[in-house]
Amino acid sequence: MNFAHRHVLGIKQFNAEELNFILDTAKSFKEINTRKIKKVPTLRGRTIVNLFFEASTRTRTSFEIAGKRLSADTVNISASSSSVVKGETLEDTARNIEAMHPDIIVMRHSASGACHYLAERLDCSVINAGDGTHEHPSQALLDAVTMIQHKGQLAGLNVAIIGDITHSRVVRSNIDLLHKLGASVRIAGPKTMLPPGLERLGCKVFSRVAEALEGADVVMMLRIQLERQGKTLIPSLREYSRYFGLNEKNLALAKPDAIIMHPGPMNRGVEISSAVADGAQNVILDQVENGVAVRMALLYLAAGGEKQNHDADEGDIHERLAD
Amino acid sequence: MAGEMTEILDSTAIQRALTRIAHEILERNKGVDNLVLIGIRTGGDYLAAELQQKIAEIEGVKVPLGTVDITMYRDDLGHRSNLEVGQTDIRFPLNDRCVVLVDDVLFTGRTIRAAMDALVDLGRPRTIQLAVLIDRGHRELPIRPDYVGRNLPTSRSEQIEVQFNAQRGPIGVNLFK
């Protein structure tokens, strides 16, 4: 298959065939993470800058490990320690970094569309590690790898996503990916956290968690963003937990072999009870493990998709190296 | 694949060549002790399975069989359009093993270079030997095979294809001008 994407800005840019190709590529990279020597020379000599304007442990570490295991040189920049605090604009920051010739910039930013903005202005590849409330493509892909690992395939699965839908970029990427690959998505959450138009995206929307959980194959709990809007949109955490939290009782409504996912970090006792978070059905750490393989695949494909558009006259070399 | 096709080996000839290679491997390594077969995807892995079978027929021992995918070790990322990555599947330690690397067609030698890099990342074999069904020349690296099914002088523009049936058995080697 021809993969002609230099940037990974969102699930939206990919069709089903390309998504399956990314998932297959991730599957192949997964083996490296189980080796004693966890390193391959695939991206030797490439430089990857992780530009994180928002706090992140999991995603940033995951991208950094992914880059290092592919032998790329990775540099981390976080907003608190960068010139952003001195008032530099996003474009100036990015242009200055680009002047040092990185091959890929992995960016997280609080503004939706920030990655698109950079991708249009820079020559290097841009990978979206979460932009505002827009997309978080690598998370949706690692969720898909985890679902496939436990359920065989995505087609036909009933996926219940519960929580703060309005402010979740994870949800937006997931809905798009799951629909493109044939799963159905049910959504539940407090009315204040449900954006309009979910039905138009093809989701079934419920205001009661029990209805969304019934017969679900996959239960994905979202984090209440305590540091952001979380507190003003719900009366209290206790009330949220009682009506929208996942516990052993309402989990029984899902299929007996349903898996429980959470993009992390979890608020134990709020959206998910500790008993469920540690229970046999949780695959939360599988998600994290698969995240490294997915990000290796994205870095590899972005680096490889890079030159496809202007190398038509090198067909001869392709043939020779292919043998 | 356009152009004129010539059959180089039919399935019987391939089987004879593989039987001879199996004997040569056993002769050179004085039996099956420490011997493992690693096929390069795709093509070499099917031939490695054939060799495992033949060695089992001769010695009565199934030597360990693995496959290696070299995509992650290629040196042309950004210059090729096919980005597919297959899986490496080697479920035994390589330390101190006598590895026979198996490929279908030996050409520039770059694939073998990549495969050797992949193998040493997984362990420290005592030896690595190379078995190929066809050696078509045009080496770009100092690599030579230890076991060859057929030496076939070709021009660079020609293409060699080893055909397999649905059961992954080799059924013919063809040259396309």
Side-chain angles (χ1 to χ4, degrees):
Chain A
M1 206 203 81
N2 229 0
F3 188 90
H5 296 276
R6 287 172 57 218
H7 307 296
V8 179
L9 303 176
I11 297 299
K12 197 178 169 194
Q13 79 194 76
F14 302 114
N15 60 31
E17 192 194 0
E18 290 167 328
L19 289 170
N20 278 319
F21 182 68
I22 299 171
L23 296 174
D24 286 344
T25 307
K27 209 170 141 199
S28 297
F29 277 112
K30 201 175 164 181
E31 178 259 336
I32 295 163
N33 299 321
T34 61
R35 292 184 188 176
K36 208 161 142 196
I37 300 174
K38 301 174 186 61
K39 207 174 184 78
V40 290
T42 317
L43 294 186
R44 193 176 47 197
R46 312 278 172 132
T47 306
I48 300 170
V49 174
N50 290 322
L51 185 57
F52 277 65
F53 291 99
E54 270 190 346
S56 164
T57 311
R58 225 173 319 269
T59 307
R60 189 175 52 79
T61 312
S62 186
F63 266 111
E64 187 181 357
I65 288 178
K68 288 196 151 85
R69 290 196 178 154
L70 293 173
S71 299
D73 298 305
T74 57
V75 179
N76 293 321
I77 302 172
S78 57
S80 55
S81 64
S82 73
S83 47
V84 180
V85 291
K86 298 177 188 166
E88 194 173 46
T89 66
L90 169 63
E91 187 168 350
D92 283 335
T93 304
R95 283 207 185 285
N96 278 279
I97 291 168
E98 199 192 26
M100 298 179 229
H101 301 291
D103 298 279
I104 301 175
I105 291 182
V106 177
M107 185 169 81
R108 167 167 289 188
H109 199 281
S110 58
S112 303
C115 294
H116 284 80
Y117 181 85
L118 276 201
E120 282 170 10
R121 285 164 179 79
L122 301 184
D123 284 330
C124 65
S125 296
V126 177
I127 295 183
N128 183 357
D131 63 330
T133 58
H134 177 227
E135 281 235 43
H136 192 350
S138 62
Q139 178 72 39
L141 287 160
L142 72 87
D143 288 339
V145 170
T146 309
M147 289 182 218
I148 292 167
Q149 178 189 341
H150 289 276
K151 297 287 165 194
Q153 56 170 20
L154 293 178
L157 287 186
N158 276 312
V159 181
I161 306 180
I162 292 156
D164 181 357
I165 308 300
T166 306
H167 301 101
S168 174
R169 52 194 172 215
V170 174
V171 134
R172 255 167 282 285
S173 292
N174 255 302
I175 289 174
D176 196 7
L177 182 148
L178 290 168
H179 282 150
K180 279 174 176 165
L181 297 185
S184 27
V185 179
R186 305 146 167 207
I187 300 278
K191 281 264 159 57
T192 49
M193 293 175 165
L194 293 178
L198 284 169
E199 287 91 350
R200 261 187 295 133
L201 293 177
C203 304
K204 288 190 205 116
V205 183
F206 303 95
S207 49
R208 287 163 51 90
V209 170
E211 294 167 322
L213 284 177
E214 206 162 334
D217 299 285
V218 177
V219 181
M220 190 183 294
M221 299 308 293
L222 299 175
R223 190 170 71 92
I224 288 299
Q225 305 187 26
L226 298 171
E227 78 284 10
R228 285 187 210 152
Q229 307 84 356
K231 273 187 174 156
T232 57
L233 294 174
I234 49 173
S236 75
L237 291 180
R238 267 185 71 190
E239 188 173 323
Y240 182 85
S241 169
R242 177 173 312 160
Y243 289 103
F244 297 99
L246 186 67
N247 50 50
E248 282 171 307
K249 200 166 149 230
N250 60 14
L251 175 59
L253 296 166
K255 283 196 184 156
D257 62 347
I259 54 170
I260 298 158
M261 307 177 72
H262 193 300
M266 283 188 281
N267 298 312
R268 284 173 182 262
V270 182
E271 69 265 5
I272 188 164
S273 75
S274 263
V276 172
D278 300 326
Q281 286 165 270
N282 101 77
V283 296
I284 295 164
L285 293 179
D286 290 342
Q287 291 175 271
V288 179
E289 184 187 348
N290 290 328
V292 176
V294 160
R295 286 162 183 136
M296 288 168 92
L298 291 179
L299 292 171
Y300 163 74
L301 292 173
E306 191 179 13
K307 289 196 177 146
Q308 293 204 351
N309 300 328
H310 39 91
D311 273 3
D313 51 352
E314 285 188 314
D316 177 32
I317 289 180
H318 295 169
E319 299 249 336
R320 269 166 44 208
L321 292 164
D323 257 73
Chain B
M1 211 168 281
E4 201 182 310
M5 185 187 106
T6 322
E7 188 178 64
I8 306 298
L9 297 175
D10 60 15
S11 83
T12 320
I14 293 174
Q15 291 304 323
R16 285 192 192 111
L18 290 175
T19 305
R20 173 174 54 76
I21 290 174
H23 280 286
E24 286 174 2
I25 289 172
L26 291 169
E27 188 183 3
R28 169 94 62 100
N29 294 285
K30 302 184 176 69
V32 292
D33 283 353
N34 264 333
L35 193 68
V36 302
L37 296 168
I38 308 270
I40 299 175
R41 286 173 59 109
T42 53
D45 49 346
Y46 305 161
L47 294 175
E50 293 278 320
L51 284 174
Q52 183 196 38
Q53 183 63 33
K54 294 204 180 291
I55 288 172
E57 281 163 18
I58 301 162
E59 293 280 313
V61 177
K62 260 200 155 172
V63 298
L65 175 69
T67 58
V68 64
D69 184 278
I70 57 118
T71 318
M72 297 169 198
Y73 293 83
R74 285 174 65 157
D75 53 10
D76 58 346
L77 185 65
H79 300 277
R80 63 186 147 94
S81 49
N82 186 357
L83 292 172
E84 242 160 89
V85 188
Q87 272 170 285
T88 292
D89 184 13
I90 298 173
R91 298 175 189 195
F92 41 84
L94 290 177
N95 288 341
D96 277 329
R97 295 301 186 100
C98 297
V99 175
V100 178
L101 198 56
V102 185
D103 201 3
D104 50 2
V105 179
L106 178 60
F107 187 16
T108 62
R110 288 182 189 270
T111 300
I112 307 302
R113 191 280 305 163
M116 287 195 290
D117 282 350
L119 290 185
V120 297
D121 270 3
L122 293 168
R124 189 176 184 279
R126 180 177 300 164
T127 57
I128 300 178
Q129 299 164 0
L130 176 61
V132 298
L133 185 57
I134 303 289
D135 180 357
R136 61 170 293 189
H138 302 288
R139 215 78 75 240
E140 294 170 2
L141 296 172
I143 281 169
R144 100 188 132 65
D146 299 278
Y147 314 100
V148 184
R150 168 75 69 92
N151 279 300
L152 186 70
T154 57
S155 86
R156 271 192 181 279
S157 60
E158 289 165 333
Q159 294 203 29
I160 305 282
E161 193 189 61
V162 181
Q163 281 188 305
F164 296 90
N165 61 21
Q167 290 76 44
R168 300 179 166 188
I171 51 172
V173 178
N174 300 312
L175 176 112
F176 298 85
K177 279 196 199 298

